[in-house]
Amino acid sequence: MAGGVRYLPSGDCALTVEFGRGVDRHLNMQVMALEAALQARNLDGVIETVPTFRSLTVHYDPSVIDHARLCHEVDALDFAASQDAACGRIVTLPVAYGGVHGPDLGDVAAAGGLNEEEAIARHSAVAHYVYMIGFAPGHPYMGDLPAELTLPRRMTPRTRIAPGTVAVAVGQTVIYPFASPGGWHAIGRTPVDLFNIARDVPALLRAGDSVRLRPVTADEYDDLQARPLTEQITIAEPAR
């Protein structure tokens, strides 16, 4: 494997393979490619892989495979040919921007020298790349926003963010799958349930996906909220 990669023990049954520092699309694509190669290798004792912005954590059964052997197996993987595995699905979600669904839209627009319509157009034009799922089940961290929509987190976090809220900060977009506290700027809301334990795959999004956000009106939001998932979203699978 290329130089600069670090193998970090995470307790006695997990290994973190770290590719670098910071939020970087190239680093994340290496993470996703390694995950695909490791899954294809199908090593006995590997239980689960968890991708993040810049690392992959591999959970394993130490009674089947030990830390040293796992490091050796990972180091021996030739995953450059698996880079296309980092190309995920394209998922299109409806979003009602502004108003009661996005109370911070005006402030975000003004900070970037835009009006609200321009801010919506800029934000919805981005193919939001899912770097990782974290903070809460099904909660995506997505990038990368243009400079005019990049600003720090709110000075005062909210004690409650409504589920489905689309929010921005530090050059990224998140969608809150559940009601929770939050310090990002709320600019819209989707009626789509991002995490539902009753589904075969509870989390709708996964690392490596690209998310398109389709602006809808408040009335369309209300109508879509009552519809099944198949009528709310579209998913385009990657070409293989």
Side-chain angles (χ1 to χ4, degrees), residues 63-155:
S63 69
V64 178
I65 185 170
D66 62 23
H67 175 86
R69 184 186 160 211
L70 181 57
C71 288
H72 173 76
E73 293 284 357
V74 171
D75 195 58
L77 286 172
D78 178 10
F79 63 91
S82 300
Q83 287 287 349
D84 61 344
C87 300
R89 308 168 302 167
I90 300 174
V91 183
T92 302
L93 307 177
V95 174
Y97 284 94
V100 296
H101 296 310
D104 296 328
L105 177 63
D107 291 340
V108 171
L114 307 170
N115 60 40
E116 291 191 6
E117 290 73 20
E118 290 170 332
I120 293 170
R122 303 286 177 88
H123 190 262
S124 61
V126 174
H128 299 269
Y129 176 78
V130 181
Y131 279 100
M132 61 173 283
I133 304 295
F135 175 68
H139 183 286
Y141 286 88
M142 306 183 292
D144 298 286
L145 292 179
E148 60 270 24
L149 295 178
T150 298
L151 67 171
R153 293 175 177 84
R154 288 171 50 88
M155 292 294 292

Side-chain angles (χ1 to χ4, degrees), residues 35-59:
E35 181 180 49
L38 192 56
Q39 289 174 347
R41 180 72 174 81
N42 196 27
L43 281 173
D44 288 341
V46 171
I47 299 169
E48 182 183 17
T49 53
V50 181
T52 72
F53 287 110
R54 56 192 174 90
S55 66
L56 182 73
T57 295
V58 184
H59 294 269

